[in-house]
């Protein structure tokens, strides 16, 4: 096996890994970005509950919801403090304190990088194929 054959095998390996990985991760990233749109931002208040601090907020219908204040963003906040929260538009009793703006970005980035590697490896494999044909002749 000469150097061109070894490079061709590596290019084919990177082509398959990149194309399959990219094609699988990109739709997952798009789905995560789409799902992040269902979170609605509002202001919550830290309240005292029977088992510890709570976060209370109003949904779009004006109903009050509450959950335990166990997120890192709630740590150290005094009772009565305001905190920016996001609740699910489908289930307003679900809350998060981290921004949904970053949901799916890592999957999209990794999928794009893998897809680019797969495409570049495919092009390099084609060039090696022509180089082998030129070297043989």
């Amino acid at each position: 096996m000469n150097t061109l054959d070894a490079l061709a095998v590596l290019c084919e390996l990177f082509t398959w890994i990149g194309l399959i990985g990219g094609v699988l991760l990109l739709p997952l990233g798009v789905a995560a970005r789409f799902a992040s749109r269902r979170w609605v931002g509002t202001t919550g208040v830290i309240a005292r509950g029977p088992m510890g601090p709570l976060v209370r907020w109003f949904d779009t219908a004006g109903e009050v919801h509450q959950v335990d204040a166990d997120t890192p963003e709630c740590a150290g906040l005094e009772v009565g403090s305001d905190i920016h929260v996001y609740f699910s538009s489908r289930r307003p009793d679900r809350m998060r304190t981290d921004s949904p703006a970053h949901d799916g970005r890592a999957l999209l980035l990794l999928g794009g990088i893998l897809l680019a590697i797969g495409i570049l490896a495919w092009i390099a494999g084609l060039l090696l194929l022509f180089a082998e044909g030129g070297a043989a002749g």
Side-chain angles (χ1 to χ4, degrees):
M1 179 181 262
N2 63 19
T3 306
L4 288 178
D5 290 339
L7 286 175
V9 169
L10 283 176
C11 284
E12 185 165 352
L13 178 69
F14 280 114
T15 298
W16 284 108
I17 290 171
L19 292 179
I20 291 173
V23 166
L24 290 176
L25 289 178
L26 283 175
L28 291 175
V30 169
R33 295 293 296 162
F34 183 73
S36 72
R37 294 182 182 171
R38 70 176 180 208
W39 294 96
V40 179
T42 189
T43 301
V45 176
I46 304 294
R48 183 170 294 131
M51 303 298 276
L54 300 170
V55 178
R56 291 185 178 148
W57 70 94
F58 289 102
D59 65 11
T60 53
E63 294 182 31
V64 177
H65 300 279
Q66 68 183 25
V67 295
D68 292 333
D70 56 2
T71 63
E73 292 84 2
C74 295
L77 291 178
E78 299 292 327
V79 173
S81 299
D82 289 344
I83 184 169
H84 195 73
V85 299
Y86 301 89
F87 65 90
S88 173
S89 60
R90 293 182 185 170
R91 291 188 47 207
D93 55 325
R94 292 186 59 207
M95 183 272 306
R96 64 191 276 185
T97 53
D98 63 320
S99 174
H102 64 279
D103 289 355
R105 284 188 181 175
L107 292 172
L108 287 172
L109 179 64
L110 185 59
I113 289 170
L114 284 175
L115 192 62
I117 288 172
I119 291 170
L120 290 175
W122 177 68
I123 292 170
L126 286 177
L127 293 175
L128 284 172
L129 183 66
F130 289 120
E132 284 180 1

